[in-house]
Amino acid sequence: MINYKENVQIDKKDLDYLYSSVGWIAYTNDLDNLKNAIDKSLSVITAWDNDKLIGLIRVIGDGYTILYIQDILVHSDFQNKSIGTQLMTKILSKYKDVRQKALLTEDASDVRHFYEKFGFTSCDKGSSVAFYKEF
């Protein structure tokens, strides 16, 4: 049975286990930085299979007018089991009154479908424009 927890302390080893499983090595190359980012997030909801961290969604923003979904990921062994859907549903429910919700992700058909089912519109299909800068 999957248990969901909100804003709990997460060990670096648990973060490494989860983020490594999906190949997000830019995060795991600096676990101290990742841990600090998680700790400073507006909200973090996690999914656990017993004592194993298998899913996480974290948001940043002010929680009133803007919410940015920074990370949503599910361990590779647990994907396609509605865990990501549960995480997204929980975070959107918690911040249902926030007017502007944003995220930036890769362009892939399955990724696009996942976000569209929650009412997100891709900037390439709507009237908005998105900009980003990597260092």
Side-chain angles (χ1 to χ4, degrees), residues 2 17-18 47-49 52-56 73-75 78 83:
I2 307 304
Y17 171 77
L18 175 59
W48 298 83
D49 179 40
K52 296 244 186 244
L53 177 64
I54 58 156
L56 179 147
L73 62 159
V74 175
H75 191 283
F78 291 87
I83 296 166

Side-chain angles (χ1 to χ4, degrees), residues 20 22 29-30 34-35 45 55 58 93 115 117 134:
S20 292
V22 295
N29 284 338
D30 189 347
L34 174 59
K35 174 80 167 109
I45 299 176
R58 75 179 182 103
S93 177
Y115 293 111
K117 77 180 181 181
E134 293 185 28

Side-chain angles (χ1 to χ4, degrees), residues 59-72:
V59 295
I60 57 176
D62 59 30
Y64 296 95
T65 62
I66 181 74
L67 185 74
Y68 188 89
I69 299 168
Q70 176 60 36
D71 295 338
I72 179 169

Side-chain angles (χ1 to χ4, degrees), residues 13 39 48 81 87 131:
K13 67 175 179 53
D39 291 345
W48 298 83
K81 298 180 186 300
L87 291 168
F131 297 93

Side-chain angles (χ1 to χ4, degrees), residues 5 9 24 36 91:
K5 300 177 184 179
Q9 287 295 315
W24 289 12
N36 287 332
I91 210 74

Side-chain angles (χ1 to χ4, degrees), residues 12-124:
K12 285 189 280 188
K13 67 175 179 53
D14 293 322
L15 293 172
D16 189 26
Y17 171 77
L18 175 59
Y19 280 74
S20 292
S21 82
V22 295
W24 289 12
I25 59 170
Y27 286 103
T28 58
N29 284 338
D30 189 347
L31 285 172
D32 289 329
N33 199 36
L34 174 59
K35 174 80 167 109
N36 287 332
I38 297 287
D39 291 345
K40 301 284 189 215
S41 296
L42 177 64
S43 185
V44 179
I45 299 176
T46 50
W48 298 83
D49 179 40
N50 295 312
D51 63 344
K52 296 244 186 244
L53 177 64
I54 58 156
L56 179 147
I57 187 169
R58 75 179 182 103
V59 295
I60 57 176
D62 59 30
Y64 296 95
T65 62
I66 181 74
L67 185 74
Y68 188 89
I69 299 168
Q70 176 60 36
D71 295 338
I72 179 169
L73 62 159
V74 175
H75 191 283
S76 58
D77 292 343
F78 291 87
Q79 291 179 2
N80 300 310
K81 298 180 186 300
S82 297
I83 296 166
T85 297
Q86 286 295 314
L87 291 168
M88 182 66 84
T89 299
K90 289 176 184 302
I91 210 74
L92 292 177
S93 177
K94 179 175 180 170
Y95 294 102
K96 66 182 180 296
D97 295 327
V98 174
R99 184 181 69 81
Q100 189 175 16
K101 299 170 183 82
L103 61 97
L104 182 65
T105 189
E106 65 186 28
D107 186 17
S109 60
D110 59 334
V111 172
R112 187 177 287 262
H113 172 73
F114 178 79
Y115 293 111
E116 287 174 344
K117 77 180 181 181
F118 290 102
F120 286 88
T121 301
S122 174
C123 288
D124 67 343

